Structure formats: structure tokens, C-alpha cells
Amino acid sequence: MMNKKIKFGIIGLGRVIEKRVANVFLKEVKNAKVVAVYDKNKRKNLKYSKVFKCKFSKNLNQFFKNKIDIVYIATESGNHYKIAMECFKNKKNVIVEKPPTLTIKKLRLLEKVALKKRLDFFCIYQNRYNSSVVWVKKYLPRIMNKIIFVNLKLLWSRPQSYYNDWHGNWKMDGGVLSQQGIHYIDLLTYLFGKPLSAVTQISNKSNKLEAEDTHSGLIKFRNFTCSVLLTTALRPKDVDASIEIFTEKQIIKLHGLCCNKVKVSFGEKQSVKQKNVSKRYSIEVPSGYGLSHKAVIQNVTKFYSKNRKTEKPLRAIQTLDTLKLIHMMYESSKKKNWVTYRKNINSQLGYQN
């Protein structure tokens, strides 16, 4: 069983497949094989059928006829729900790029259907697997009650051409918060738990889009407040994505293009031990996608090849608080007031404006 190749099908052959995921399957993970691909763009469909040396699927019906252990969904965010539902109807397990859906109601519904059909419904937030983030997660219990303040910054660049297709509208993906920033909002909920309330404002500084290219505000957690600044308005390239955790005696900083590095210090001073933490748990990455898709896919292949007798990959429903916080922040930007955490939260995200 250890040498069994787990069969993946991929639906959606856009940016994340081109820039990162194709290489993971082709060169980095041994026990995974792409046996089917599909994209509504015929050119991409044909290209990646050749890249992965698999059969060309003219449509989804043909795609689903393949023997697939799990379908990897990498389409536009606004299409995740309907494609995941099609996968479940065809008795296929699912792993989906973030966010699993754009609305809370649809996420809960997909989880209900998956449980009823005894299918897996996983989600990809690859930065959780960064060695820097793994170290901070393990270290946090020592200082959780000592945190004074947290600061999140995403300083990235997206040209106007990026927003000239499906990006940037409320129905398909929203703006910087729910597209690029969601990875780091997810790290906040992963590291610090359920948010209590949020107040934010949005604007467009460099780009024309229906949603926003700049989002700023405050998020209250149980013992502290986190400031947030997210933007894709910088030029000409991505600069940094960082989460700074301030205690009375320490500053712990996740930084780099995708929080791929960690620094522990008192002000600017670092002890030898603190420098060793930075050296051991920080890595270089070529882009904001980082390198941790490899760890995600390895986790999935290990889970299936060992007959589920290993750590379960991240279930989509486990990211519910991340999606709730996104909606809290968008609702706040519209109401121009604090919004509290509650069972059902609806903002303009996921709907036609």
C-alpha cells in the first residue's frame, strides 16, 4: 500500500496550477499521479493533458468517468461550490483551493452532503504548512496570555490587467481581503482562534475593480487586538507579507512573501538561540505561492495510501472561522461599524453586485 499512487483529477488549470501545483505533481511528490484534467478553456485543457500525459476530457462528464481518488479544484473561487457539488454527485472526494466557498451557507451545505455520501472535503491553505508557521503554532501556548498586540500586513502588487477578467468582483472572488489576504486571515484564526469582532474600511488606490485593492482595520481576539493592512496597490512587485506578535519581552515576526520566515527578537536584538530559530525554520520562496503545496499534497497521498491511518488533511469545514472573519470584515466596511462574530454572517461576497 505504501507504494500505491494516489490518483488525482484537476478541474481548473489557471494561475496556481501553472505557477506551482503542476511542478509539485510532476517533480516533487512521488506517490501522486494526475490521471485527468479539465478546464473550460480548450487550449489549457489540451496543454495540461499533454503535460500530465493523461486522457483529454471534452467535458466534465467525460472527466468523471476516470478512476480518480480525489479531485483537486482550482477554478475561480465563485465556482468552487457548484463544481464540488458535481464531484460529490459523481462520488469523488474533493480538495479545493482557498476559499472552499464564498458563502458560509454553501460551505455548511457542502460539508453536509460530503458527510452524507461519506466523501472527503478538504481545503488548501498551504501557508499553515510553512516551517515558520509550524514553529510559531507550537511556541504560542507559552506566550498566548502575554500578547499585547498583533500586526498583519500584506504588501503586494497586482496590475490592472489582473482585474480585467474574473478577479475583483463580488460574485467570483471579492478583493484583496478574500483573494490574496485570505491566506493571512486564515493564519490569524489558525494561530489565535475565533475572532470576537472586527471593524474595517476598503478603498481602491491603484486599480479599478468592483471590490477593493486595499483593506485596513482592526480585529479583536480574546486577549488582544490585531491591526490589518492588506493591499495589492503597490508597484511594481510584491514586497512582503508579515504577522508581528508583540509581547512585553518579545517580538515574534512571520515575514517574507508568504510568512515563510520567522524572526524572534527583543526589539532589534537577537540572542544566539533566537537567531538559530530564524535560521532553522525560515526558507526562501520564489513567489507568494510559497513552497508548501508540496506538503499539502504529500499529506493527502499519505492519508489515502495508508488507508486513512494517519493525520487527516485540513477539512474545509475547519476553515469556517476564516470565512466568517472575511464576511465580518466586509460587512463592517459596508456598515462602517464594528461587526461581531455570530452564527450567520452575510456580506456582499459571493453575490452579484
Side-chain angles (χ1 to χ4, degrees):
M1 289 299 295
M2 284 296 295
N3 295 321
K4 174 188 174 184
K5 282 193 179 290
I6 304 306
K7 297 176 182 178
F8 283 78
I10 301 177
I11 300 177
L13 301 167
R15 199 179 286 253
V16 68
I17 302 300
E18 177 187 356
K19 302 282 186 182
R20 181 70 189 114
V21 174
N23 200 60
V24 174
F25 281 113
L26 293 169
K27 298 180 180 180
E28 299 177 25
V29 178
K30 293 181 180 179
N31 289 347
K33 182 180 181 181
V34 177
V35 298
V37 296
Y38 178 75
D39 192 286
K40 59 187 178 183
N41 183 312
K42 187 176 179 180
R43 179 184 60 79
K44 290 181 181 180
N45 204 5
L46 183 60
K47 173 186 174 181
Y48 284 98
S49 295
K50 293 178 180 178
V51 166
F52 291 114
K53 298 178 181 178
C54 59
K55 290 182 180 179
F56 176 81
S57 298
K58 293 181 180 179
N59 50 52
L60 279 178
N61 287 334
Q62 199 173 73
F63 170 89
F64 286 126
K65 289 179 181 178
N66 290 279
K67 291 183 178 180
I68 298 168
D69 294 306
I70 186 165
V71 176
Y72 190 128
I73 299 175
T75 63
E76 307 91 336
S77 303
N79 285 328
H80 287 175
Y81 170 78
K82 69 177 183 180
I83 293 173
M85 194 64 82
E86 282 297 314
C87 290
F88 294 152
K89 287 179 181 177
N90 285 275
K91 300 180 181 179
K92 306 295 184 184
N93 298 303
V94 166
I95 184 166
V96 60
E97 281 286 338
K98 60 75 192 168
T101 66
L102 288 182
T103 71
I104 294 163
K105 181 179 178 180
K106 288 180 178 179
L107 175 55
R108 289 196 177 113
L109 181 56
L110 284 175
E111 171 68 4
K112 184 177 180 180
V113 172
L115 288 174
K116 184 177 180 180
K117 291 180 175 287
R118 297 184 179 180
L119 294 168
D120 294 318
F121 182 31
F122 301 134
C123 184
I124 299 173
Y125 279 102
Q126 73 272 12
N127 290 342
R128 292 189 181 204
Y129 290 78
N130 293 353
S131 56
S132 53
V133 173
V134 171
W135 182 85
V136 171
K137 177 72 171 176
K138 289 181 179 179
Y139 185 75
L140 269 178
R142 302 185 193 181
I143 62 165
M144 189 66 82
N145 292 327
K146 301 175 183 178
I147 296 174
I148 297 170
F149 193 74
V150 174
N151 184 33
L152 166 60
K153 289 188 294 184
L154 176 78
L155 307 175
W156 278 10
S157 175
R158 290 293 181 273
Q160 182 61 50
S161 58
Y162 175 84
Y163 295 107
N164 289 340
D165 53 11
W166 59 273
H167 287 293
N169 66 69
W170 293 118
K171 185 178 180 181
M172 296 307 289
D173 75 329
V176 62
L177 172 63
S178 53
Q179 183 57 242
Q180 292 80 21
I182 195 170
H183 283 292
Y184 308 96
I185 297 299
D186 178 68
L187 288 184
L188 294 182
T189 62
Y190 177 56
L191 294 173
F192 306 121
K194 183 175 72 176
L196 301 181
S197 58
V199 62
T200 70
Q201 61 180 10
I202 65 176
S203 59
N204 286 311
K205 298 296 185 182
S206 299
N207 298 295
K208 294 180 180 179
L209 61 150
E210 191 176 73
E212 88 288 4
D213 72 4
T214 301
H215 203 127
S216 60
L218 298 171
I219 303 167
K220 286 184 180 179
F221 289 90
R222 185 168 65 90
N223 293 324
F224 60 87
T225 298
C226 175
S227 67
V228 176
L229 173 60
L230 312 169
T231 188
T232 54
L234 302 186
R235 299 292 184 265
K237 62 182 181 179
D238 295 349
V239 177
D240 189 49
S242 64
I243 297 174
E244 295 174 291
I245 305 166
F246 297 89
T247 72
E248 184 179 346
K249 295 183 178 181
Q250 285 183 317
I251 302 172
I252 300 169
K253 183 177 181 179
L254 286 164
H255 63 109
L257 285 179
C258 58
C259 290
N260 48 289
K261 298 180 181 181
V262 61
K263 179 180 179 180
V264 184
S265 63
F266 181 75
E268 292 299 316
K269 296 181 181 179
Q270 282 187 296
S271 66
V272 173
K273 187 176 181 180
Q274 289 170 337
K275 287 181 180 179
N276 286 338
V277 168
S278 298
K279 186 176 180 180
R280 184 175 180 182
Y281 297 102
S282 298
I283 62 170
E284 297 293 335
V285 299
S287 72
Y289 290 109
L291 296 174
S292 292
H293 275 88
K294 176 183 177 181
V296 174
I297 295 169
Q298 279 182 328
N299 192 21
V300 173
T301 59
K302 188 177 180 181
F303 177 71
Y304 285 118
S305 63
K306 291 191 174 183
N307 289 329
R308 301 169 179 263
K309 296 177 181 179
T310 185
E311 180 187 355
K312 198 168 189 176
L314 179 65
R315 291 169 57 214
I317 198 65
Q318 290 176 296
T319 70
L320 178 61
D321 280 346
T322 297
L323 189 57
K324 280 192 174 185
L325 182 50
I326 295 292
H327 279 276
M328 286 165 61
M329 294 170 74
Y330 272 134
E331 183 181 358
S332 173
S333 70
K334 189 172 184 178
K335 290 186 173 180
K336 304 185 186 305
N337 205 347
W338 285 91
V339 169
T340 58
Y341 182 98
R342 58 191 189 275
K343 182 177 180 180
N344 294 308
I345 307 165
N346 288 303
S347 69
Q348 59 268 54
L349 181 64
Y351 299 94
Q352 187 71 50
N353 196 16

